[in-house]
Amino acid sequence: MDNSPTDVRIIVEGASDVESVSKAMQGVALGAEYHITISSIIPTTSLEIAKKAVKGADVVLIATDVDAPGRELAENYKEALKDHVGHLERMKFPYGHDVEYIDPAIIKDEIENAIIRAGLSSITHIKYLKELETELDASTDKLQELSTENFELQQENQESKEKLDEIVQINNQLQEQMETIKNNSQDLKKDYSQLKRECSRIHEKNLLEVFSIKKLWNEAFNQILKNEDQIIFATNQFKPENIVVGQGWISARSRDDAIEWLKVIKTALIFIDPETKSEDFTQEIHEEPPEEEDRLDNRFKNIFD
């Protein structure tokens, strides 16, 4: 705690006022009674000089006449110095006083009264200062709380930034994958177009499909074909367009074409031997002698001719 005395400075209008104040101060023991020291008496009417002269003072007494010019000068001082010193107080010289004959006791009393008024004014500010201290403590606590929140927010912000960087990295990877997929898709489209063109050319060639004779006979007539010789023989003899038979298989442009040919063969066999029943086509047939093959050949020729 600072135990230095309260620094009081007095502003007067002229040098003659300095002498009057100095005489009056000879009988005042402010240091012993109030722990106050009057460090300087400043004779000036310049506001700028006064600002420099009172810098660092605790209390400044403005000593001017009680007349109108004195009051105006005092108000100007208060307005100019209010932000430069701890406290400003007005002390009044008697109206029309003569500095050579003024009673020093009057000035002494005025100085003491001004100092007392300054002290009392300061006392009224104690409650306000206490309130300010309370507000300051609350503000300090709030500042600490905000500082803690700010630290936590900085940490969260850092975590969010790291997550954002991770998301950006993942997004970049996904963009690269999407670009790769896009390129692959374009390649697949090209391959598909090429395959489609090739398939179109294949379809244009009218390629034959291959079916099992026995399976197709069973599906067409609900019968089991045990001997394929007559079907093979008839087909080889008459060589129908787009029909090929052999090795247990029949080739045609479509399933319907193959079945249609089997129906033709079955009908032809019935015409060859009217007494032959449908079921007989499924019986095993022994090999015919050469002359019998010629006979079947002639019969088939007669039917299809």
Side-chain angles (χ1 to χ4, degrees):
M1 184 176 178
D2 188 6
N3 291 322
S4 59
T6 302
D7 183 2
V8 178
R9 302 178 194 181
I10 303 175
I11 299 177
V12 295
E13 296 184 55
S16 59
D17 293 330
V18 174
E19 182 179 356
S20 300
V21 172
S22 298
K23 289 180 180 180
M25 293 303 302
Q26 292 178 3
V28 178
L30 296 177
E33 295 182 11
Y34 304 111
H35 197 53
I36 291 174
T37 181
I38 296 179
S39 60
S40 62
I41 301 173
I42 306 163
T44 183
T45 56
S46 170
L47 299 180
E48 295 302 321
I49 293 175
K51 288 179 182 179
K52 296 177 182 179
V54 302
K55 186 176 182 180
D58 297 313
V59 178
V60 173
L61 303 181
I62 303 172
T64 60
D65 291 343
V66 296
D67 57 8
R71 290 195 302 272
E72 182 179 357
L73 181 60
E75 291 299 325
N76 291 339
Y77 273 132
K78 285 184 178 181
E79 183 64 26
L81 304 178
K82 63 181 180 180
D83 297 326
H84 295 269
V85 297
H87 185 78
L88 291 168
E89 190 64 37
R90 169 91 184 279
M91 60 173 286
K92 304 173 184 178
F93 281 143
Y95 177 75
H97 69 275
D98 189 338
V99 294
E100 296 181 2
Y101 301 103
I102 190 172
D103 187 355
I106 296 175
I107 299 177
K108 170 179 171 297
D109 292 340
E110 186 62 27
I111 292 173
E112 289 180 341
N113 291 334
I115 292 174
I116 291 172
R117 288 196 303 273
L120 293 175
S121 297
S122 299
I123 291 174
T124 59
H125 294 155
I126 292 177
K127 181 179 180 181
Y128 176 67
L129 291 175
K130 289 293 183 181
E131 293 175 353
L132 289 179
E133 288 179 357
T134 302
E135 292 179 3
L136 179 60
D137 292 339
S139 298
T140 302
D141 293 341
K142 185 64 176 178
L143 181 62
Q144 182 62 37
E145 181 181 349
L146 291 175
S147 177
T148 302
E149 291 180 0
N150 181 61
F151 178 74
E152 294 175 352
L153 289 174
Q154 286 180 344
Q155 288 185 321
E156 292 178 1
N157 182 64
Q158 181 63 28
E159 293 176 358
S160 298
K161 184 177 181 300
E162 293 175 357
K163 290 181 180 179
L164 178 60
D165 292 339
E166 181 179 354
I167 292 173
V168 170
Q169 184 177 0
I170 294 174
N171 182 66
N172 291 335
Q173 293 175 352
L174 290 175
Q175 289 290 341
E176 293 177 359
Q177 293 178 3
M178 288 179 62
E179 188 66 25
T180 302
I181 293 173
K182 182 179 179 181
N183 294 334
N184 292 339
S185 175
Q186 292 176 349
D187 293 339
L188 289 174
K189 287 180 179 179
K190 292 180 181 178
D191 294 342
Y192 174 76
S193 298
Q194 182 177 355
L195 182 60
K196 187 176 180 181
R197 288 193 297 271
E198 292 177 356
C199 290
S200 297
R201 287 197 295 270
I202 291 174
H203 285 300
E204 291 172 357
K205 290 180 180 179
N206 293 322
L207 296 181
L208 302 180
E209 297 185 54
V210 180
F211 310 94
S212 169
I213 296 176
K214 289 184 177 181
K215 185 176 180 181
L216 202 61
W217 187 278
N218 183 288
E219 292 178 2
F221 309 116
N222 196 23
Q223 296 176 350
I224 297 175
L225 181 64
K226 294 183 179 181
N227 195 305
E228 306 165 9
D229 291 345
Q230 291 180 327
I231 298 173
I232 296 173
F233 178 81
T235 304
N236 290 337
Q237 289 296 318
F238 297 100
K239 298 181 177 57
E241 186 178 359
N242 297 321
I243 298 292
V244 179
V245 177
Q247 302 296 321
W249 303 94
I250 178 170
S251 297
R253 286 185 175 180
S254 67
R255 188 184 198 87
D256 291 340
D257 288 349
I259 292 175
E260 187 65 30
W261 177 247
L262 293 180
K263 289 180 179 180
V264 171
I265 295 297
K266 186 176 182 182
T267 302
L269 290 174
I270 293 174
F271 278 107
I272 290 172
D273 189 356
E275 295 181 359
T276 301
K277 296 180 180 180
S278 174
E279 290 80 2
D280 294 337
F281 299 140
T282 63
Q283 301 302 314
E284 185 174 356
I285 302 175
H286 297 285
E287 184 177 358
E288 297 283 351
E291 57 273 14
E292 181 65 18
E293 291 184 2
D294 294 338
R295 183 177 63 81
L296 290 173
D297 185 12
N298 292 328
R299 289 180 180 180
F300 278 113
K301 284 183 178 179
N302 292 331
I303 292 172
F304 287 98
D305 289 342

